[in-house]
């Protein structure tokens, strides 16, 4: 990625965070913590990424900054499968999906829908999974050529398979 290849780009979010801290502007600090956390994750510094994301959520909650809460949550949800200790409560994927919809953040919605479908499928909640799958497929139709649609199809394969619809699963799988 560009962040890894160019050291100046990799350092930019940390410099931005430093500027925000010197300006003592809380909203800027929260936002830059998210970006610096993403950059830290790109560099493989997961502990720093989790720390910054957690601090961003705490500050954003204090200020009622729902957009920053969503961005920090998206970053921290990536660590769910790694069994890391995240020191703050982060919204669940379904709560994040609701927030993304309320904020009109369709990109985040499109990234969260496959996760919500997969979670419901894994938990045996077929009706819930199908309901979100309908939303997911509607959204996928608006995103031709987007790599995100691949995640939508993977979630559909798992849902069809879990429902015993093996032929449909093979169609989605391609």
């Amino acid at each position: 990625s560009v962040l890894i290849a160019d050291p100046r780009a990799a350092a930019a979010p940390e410099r931005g965070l430093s500027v925000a801290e010197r300006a003592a502007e809380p909203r800027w600090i929260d936002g830059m913590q998210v970006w610096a956390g993403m950059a830290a994750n790109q560099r493989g510094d997961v502990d720093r990424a989790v720390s910054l994301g957690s601090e961003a959520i705490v500050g954003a909650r204090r200020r009622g900054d729902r957009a920053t809460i969503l961005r920090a949550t998206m970053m921290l949800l990536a660590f769910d499968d790694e069994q890391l200790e995240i020191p703050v409560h982060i919204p669940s994927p379904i709560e994040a999906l609701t927030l993304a919809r309320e904020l009109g953040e369709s990109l985040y919605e499109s990234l969260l829908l496959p996760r919500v479908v997969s979670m419901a499928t894994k938990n045996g909640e077929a009706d819930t999974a199908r309901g979100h799958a309908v939303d997911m497929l509607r959204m996928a139709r608006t995103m031709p050529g987007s790599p995100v649609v691949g995640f939508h199809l993977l979630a559909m394969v798992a849902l069809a398979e879990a429902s015993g619809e093996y032929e449909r699963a093979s169609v989605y799988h391609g």
Side-chain angles (χ1 to χ4, degrees):
S1 85
V2 173
L3 290 176
I4 293 171
D6 186 341
R8 293 170 299 169
E14 289 288 346
R15 284 196 308 271
L17 177 56
S18 177
V19 168
E21 289 170 342
R22 282 195 309 273
E25 180 56 52
R27 189 172 293 271
W28 294 357
I29 293 168
D30 299 339
M32 288 310 302
Q33 284 172 328
V34 175
W35 291 112
M38 290 180 198
N41 186 33
Q42 287 280 318
R43 291 189 313 270
D45 189 351
V46 173
D47 291 338
R48 176 98 173 124
V50 168
S51 174
L52 287 167
S54 297
E55 290 175 35
I57 283 187
V58 169
R61 278 192 180 127
R62 195 174 313 125
R63 278 172 274 301
D65 182 354
R66 296 168 6 121
T68 298
I69 290 170
L70 179 60
R71 283 192 298 277
T73 297
M74 293 300 294
M75 180 184 68
L76 292 171
L77 282 174
F79 301 118
D80 255 7
D81 297 334
E82 297 182 31
Q83 304 300 317
L84 293 174
E85 180 75 26
I86 297 178
V88 296
H89 169 75
I90 61 171
S92 69
I94 193 73
E95 291 168 331
L97 176 61
T98 300
L99 182 56
R101 286 175 170 166
E102 289 171 358
L103 294 173
E105 292 285 356
S106 59
L107 175 61
Y108 292 142
E109 180 181 357
S110 70
L111 291 167
L112 286 160
L113 276 166
R115 185 175 193 140
V116 169
V117 169
S118 296
M119 286 174 51
T121 300
K122 184 178 177 182
N123 293 334
E125 301 166 359
D127 289 341
T128 300
R130 283 189 205 94
H132 289 298
V134 168
D135 294 342
M136 186 175 67
L137 291 175
R138 282 189 187 128
M139 179 164 268
R141 291 183 63 185
T142 69
M143 305 168 64
S146 171
V148 173
V149 174
F151 294 108
H152 293 195
L153 288 173
L154 288 173
M156 291 305 299
V157 169
L159 175 58
E161 183 180 36
S163 301
E165 299 179 42
Y166 303 111
E167 190 172 316
R168 183 180 307 262
S170 68
V171 169
Y172 289 134
H173 189 274

